[in-house]
Amino acid sequence: MDEAGEGRVRSQNVAPFQNSSSKSLTLIGISGSGKTSSLGKILSLTPQVIVHSKYRGRDFSRYHISHLRTEAPYDGSLKALCLQFFMTIDALLGTNYMERYGSGHKSTNIMIPIISKLLQNIGLGILVIDEIQHLSLAKSGGSAAVLNFFTTLINTANIPILLVGTPKSLNVLQSEFRQARRNISGHGNFFWDRLQKDASFDLFLSGLWKYQWIQKPVELTDEISSILYDETQGIPDVVVKLFMMLQVRAISTGKETITGAMIRKVANEQLKLIRPMVEALRKGRTSQLLEYQDIVMPDVTEFMQKEQSQIQVQTFIKETQKRSESRQQQITHLREDAVNRLQLLGVKEKEAVGIVQEVLDQRSSIADLNELVQAAYQLSIEKGKEKLEEKGILKKMGRGSSGYREGGRKRRYICL
């Protein structure tokens, strides 16, 4: 074969240049607006790992990952993000890519081709990188390095990438590198805004309002709806958590209902950390949102633990009151039965009532009717003797004497 023929053969073995047609987009929205939850539900509509065995009648053994979602690491470095890719794939497929390629001192430039080839081998459909606001410009080498990283990954792996973050991430994405920004947001930038005070918020709140677990559910009024929106500015996650805390507070205080004043009070106490952001949204200062890394949502679990102690105190008080009321009812019935028994023994009702009460005051441990009647009857005898002695009627007599004379007549008293 001549040189020309050999050249033609060699040219056939060279892989043709592939122009990347993959397009990506960015999704920006404040924390709590439902970005991550909604994306999770959308992605769950497709099986994440598909195991192929045959293709068009031929054996075809291959793992296929339809989507891969990972979060930007908190340390903000691109190398840590690369390691996150290896760890996520290992968790799905049981491989050891992290051990093979993540160890050592490989730079980001070395890891990108490895990751690109790996993503192609698994047939990845879309790569979702969440919380990109965590990427630190200082640790990542500036906005140029961050944009170039994603651009190179898109072009080499030839797969679409969805970048998700808060308004803080605009500091990373908005730069003078227009070509990189066009590649990263080929299908546009979407800003996931909070709910507006319109039919959407009313629909959301009416669905949420059905889940009242308090004893006195309150009707959703325009006043309550307006107060809730004013305190949360339509951020769904904040609305849900505030609604939960309102019910916990209603239970812990024993009021078992929700009022506008309670909404204001709980929001003022528990939403202090996000108050500046809520205030910025309320006054329309959207540019101020870029100053905040993220919205620190209130910890409902911690709030519930604190309120639970108050609930336990209220429960203990109620149980103690019930036991006290039950004991009081028992004593009332015991007193009434004892008075009736004493009347049958000849004690007058008024006297019997006083004697029974006196015995109960002296002996709080008495719970048996017979014991109470015996003690009360004995006390009535003693009191009868004391009255006679006070009047000078009953006098001490010698042994064997059983009576005394009064007005010329002899009267006999039987001592019980």
Side-chain angles (χ1 to χ4, degrees):
M1 182 177 295
D2 58 8
E3 294 183 359
E6 185 179 355
R8 286 193 294 270
V9 173
R10 288 179 180 175
S11 65
Q12 292 176 357
N13 292 332
V14 176
F17 174 76
Q18 294 181 352
N19 185 21
S20 175
S21 60
S22 298
K23 296 296 183 180
S24 301
L25 57 88
T26 57
L27 176 60
I28 307 300
I30 59 177
S31 294
S33 59
K35 305 182 302 298
T36 301
S37 300
S38 299
L39 284 174
K41 291 184 179 297
I42 294 173
L43 294 175
S44 65
L45 298 175
T46 304
Q48 187 171 14
V49 179
I50 303 173
V51 181
H52 297 279
S53 59
K54 289 185 178 296
Y55 178 72
R56 293 185 178 180
R58 301 176 62 181
D59 292 337
F60 183 75
S61 179
R62 188 177 182 183
Y63 285 105
H64 175 204
I65 298 182
S66 61
H67 56 272
L68 190 67
R69 178 188 171 275
T70 185
E71 291 186 3
Y74 278 95
D75 67 354
S77 68
L78 292 176
K79 184 176 181 179
L81 180 59
C82 294
L83 299 178
Q84 190 74 22
F85 289 148
F86 295 134
M87 294 174 61
T88 305
I89 296 174
D90 287 343
L92 286 174
L93 303 180
T95 53
N96 60 344
Y97 294 118
M98 179 63 184
E99 182 180 350
R100 291 169 58 185
Y101 304 116
S103 59
H105 299 282
K106 295 182 178 65
S107 65
T108 305
N109 293 332
I110 296 176
M111 288 185 179
I112 288 180
I114 298 175
I115 294 174
S116 299
K117 187 62 177 179
L118 179 59
L119 296 181
Q120 288 178 340
N121 290 340
I122 62 177
L124 184 63
I126 185 172
L127 175 62
V128 180
I129 303 178
D130 203 352
E131 308 294 350
I132 60 173
Q133 72 275 3
H134 293 161
L135 292 176
S136 170
L137 296 182
K139 294 184 178 181
S140 302
S143 59
V146 175
L147 293 175
N148 288 335
F149 171 83
F150 290 122
T151 301
T152 304
L153 187 61
I154 292 171
N155 292 335
T156 56
N158 198 26
I159 57 173
I161 295 180
L162 172 60
L163 303 179
V164 185
T166 64
K168 183 69 175 180
S169 59
L170 293 175
N171 293 332
V172 178
L173 299 177
Q174 288 181 346
S175 69
E176 67 277 12
F177 298 94
R178 297 181 180 179
Q179 181 63 37
R181 191 167 68 249
R182 280 200 300 269
N183 289 337
I184 291 178
S185 57
H187 281 170
N189 296 317
F190 293 93
F191 189 82
W192 196 307
D193 201 2
R194 58 199 169 99
L195 294 174
Q196 299 299 319
K197 186 65 174 71
D198 52 19
S200 299
F201 182 76
D202 294 338
L203 179 63
F204 171 74
L205 197 57
S206 62
L208 181 66
W209 212 250
K210 299 176 183 178
Y211 299 96
Q212 294 187 67
W213 306 112
I214 48 182
Q215 294 181 0
K216 302 175 183 177
V218 62
E219 183 181 356
L220 180 60
T221 61
D222 292 338
E223 179 186 3
I224 291 179
S225 178
S226 299
I227 294 175
L228 278 171
Y229 188 85
D230 184 60
E231 295 294 342
T232 63
Q233 287 300 298
I235 303 175
D237 192 31
V238 180
V239 177
V240 172
K241 290 182 177 179
L242 179 57
F243 180 62
M244 293 171 60
M245 290 188 290
L246 287 172
Q247 295 195 70
V248 174
R249 177 60 60 83
I251 295 173
S252 65
T253 56
K255 295 181 179 179
E256 295 290 345
T257 191
I258 297 175
T259 62
M262 179 185 292
I263 297 174
R264 296 286 190 189
K265 183 177 181 180
V266 174
N268 184 59
E269 294 175 356
Q270 304 302 322
L271 303 183
K272 291 181 179 179
L273 293 177
I274 64 173
R275 181 67 62 185
M277 299 193 70
V278 173
E279 189 67 21
L281 290 171
R282 184 183 292 121
K283 295 183 178 181
R285 298 196 299 264
T286 54
S287 59
Q288 187 177 348
L289 298 176
L290 300 178
E291 302 175 3
Y292 302 99
Q293 177 73 13
D294 203 349
I295 293 182
V296 181
M297 293 298 174
D299 190 345
V300 179
T301 303
E302 182 180 354
F303 174 79
M304 292 180 66
Q305 290 175 350
K306 292 180 180 179
E307 293 293 314
Q308 187 175 7
S309 60
Q310 183 66 23
I311 294 175
Q312 291 174 348
V313 171
Q314 295 293 337
T315 303
F316 175 77
I317 293 175
K318 291 180 180 179
E319 291 179 351
T320 304
Q321 291 176 345
K322 288 181 180 179
R323 287 195 296 268
S324 177
E325 292 174 358
S326 178
R327 173 62 179 169
Q328 192 64 34
Q329 291 176 354
Q330 292 178 359
I331 293 176
T332 300
H333 294 314
L334 193 64
R335 184 190 298 111
E336 293 175 353
D337 293 341
V339 169
N340 293 333
R341 293 278 187 93
L342 290 175
Q343 286 182 281
L344 294 176
L345 293 174
V347 181
K348 294 181 179 180
E349 180 180 2
K350 184 176 181 180
E351 182 181 358
V353 171
I355 292 174
V356 169
Q357 187 60 47
E358 186 174 349
V359 172
L360 290 174
D361 293 339
Q362 295 175 355
R363 306 181 189 182
S364 59
S365 61
I366 291 182
D368 183 75
L369 178 60
N370 293 331
E371 181 182 359
L372 177 59
V373 172
Q374 290 178 4
Y377 191 62
Q378 182 65 33
L379 182 61
S380 68
I381 294 175
E382 294 175 357
K383 286 183 174 293
K385 290 181 179 181
E386 292 176 358
K387 288 181 180 180
L388 293 176
E389 288 179 354
E390 289 175 358
K391 293 180 180 180
I393 299 176
L394 183 63
K395 298 180 180 179
K396 294 183 179 179
M397 301 202 176
R399 183 175 296 177
S401 299
S402 58
Y404 65 93
R405 292 184 177 276
E406 178 184 355
R409 293 184 303 168
K410 184 177 182 180
R411 300 187 62 179
R412 184 177 296 274
Y413 286 85
I414 300 176
C415 296
L416 299 176

